[in-house]
Amino acid sequence: MTRVFSGVKPTGHLTLGNYLGAMRRWAEVDQHRSDAVFCIVDLHALTVDHDPARVRRLSRQAATLLLAVGLDPTLCTVFVQSHVDEHARLSYLLECVATDGEMRRMIQYKEKAGRERERGGSVRLSLLTYPVLMAADILAYGTDEVPVGDDQAQHVELTRDLAVRFNQRYGNTFVVPRATHPAVAARVMNLQEPASKMGKSDDAGPGIVYLLDEPDVVRKKIMRAVTDSGREVVYDREGRPGLANLLEILAACTGGNPSALSGVYESYGALKRDTAEAVVEVLMPVQERHRELCADAGQVEGVLRDGAERARAMARPVVDAAYRAIGLLPAASADIGVTA
């Protein structure tokens, strides 16, 4: 079967954008058609200033929400990145293949490092090298497909480059993966700043709908969404980004088409009301299942423990092969005794 890998970073509360852009597809499509591996990539959360207790709390919440949206541990593998040592083992090997120039050209590094320099500070080294860890996450599992939003496509291209380079230098070791993109709502935008992604790391605001927001909070945020000048409801991503965002969210929630939906509405208010109710309806079963899982913490812990064992069994042969290929001496077996 096709191997699919994707992950979620516990740097903030998961959002409607995470769900419509990725998580729902994982549950409804990927786990049924492929050998799917889903990971809470907690090591990536350490690349910026963080509260250790919050990272642990958000990691557990992310795992619980992955199950709440419909990931079935009998169909796919769900685990925490730091529970499987092969991620860190392979990351260093790939650092020995990647170049400094490649890392410094990564868009997210350039943006975050630039903002920090303006404040007179500097970023952690791990922020520069984390795309290599992301590549290790993917390559360790012989991944064929990586479902990503538009903003992560550059990381998959880097992963492909590193896999090809390693294979050419040291022998055919890695599967070269490809990125896949959902057709609708690949990138849900901030309701107050429709030029910016609805990101979970931005805790500030009314422009972000979180998966665990109460229904009235969801309605309030969507009713206050920024729209565009003019009265006509049209779908124009470039010229009318606020309206386009609402139409794409509504389309993703109802299975409609943004362009077709734009012809249904004569006012912004009606569009906002229907979008709000559609989002509330989509989130309701997720929130109900989340409450059930929170009441049985042992169930989530069991899924993560079993998932880590399965992930380790998949990744270790690949990473061991990479260690041999690059020239490292295999460790002696612990059960080899000394004979007289």
Side-chain angles (χ1 to χ4, degrees), residues 155-177:
H155 292 108
V156 180
E157 285 305 309
L158 173 69
T159 301
R160 290 172 55 85
D161 292 343
L162 295 180
V164 169
R165 192 177 306 155
F166 191 101
N167 290 346
Q168 289 175 341
R169 289 180 181 176
Y170 306 114
N172 192 29
T173 305
F174 298 119
V175 173
V176 181

Side-chain angles (χ1 to χ4, degrees), residues 181-219:
H181 305 274
V184 178
R187 197 176 190 194
V188 178
M189 311 307 283
N190 189 297
L191 295 172
Q192 293 297 316
E193 300 175 19
S196 302
K197 184 180 71 169
M198 187 181 285
K200 63 181 179 299
S201 298
D202 179 7
D203 285 330
I208 304 169
V209 175
Y210 297 104
L211 294 187
L212 298 179
D213 276 347
E214 294 291 333
D216 285 347
V217 173
V218 172
R219 294 185 182 99

Side-chain angles (χ1 to χ4, degrees), residues 43 79-94 132-133 135-141 174 308-323:
L43 295 176
F79 69 104
V80 176
Q81 179 189 33
S82 63
H83 295 177
V84 179
D85 293 343
E86 278 63 34
H87 293 255
R89 290 180 63 206
L90 182 55
S91 182
Y92 179 73
L93 294 197
L94 296 179
V132 176
L133 176 58
D137 299 337
I138 296 167
L139 296 179
Y141 295 95
F174 298 119
E309 291 178 2
R310 289 161 60 182
R312 199 175 297 116
M314 285 186 274
R316 183 162 293 170
V318 177
V319 177
D320 285 349
Y323 268 58

Side-chain angles (χ1 to χ4, degrees), residues 59 104 110 179 202 216 237 242 266 292 298 301 318 338-339:
S59 296
R104 295 187 185 280
K110 289 198 296 186
D202 179 7
D216 285 347
R237 177 177 273 278
E266 296 182 356
E292 293 172 0
E301 291 175 359
V318 177
V338 178
T339 58

Side-chain angles (χ1 to χ4, degrees), residues 291-312:
R291 285 191 289 269
E292 293 172 0
L293 290 166
C294 286
D296 184 7
Q299 182 177 353
V300 177
E301 291 175 359
V303 167
L304 295 179
R305 181 179 59 251
D306 295 345
E309 291 178 2
R310 289 161 60 182
R312 199 175 297 116

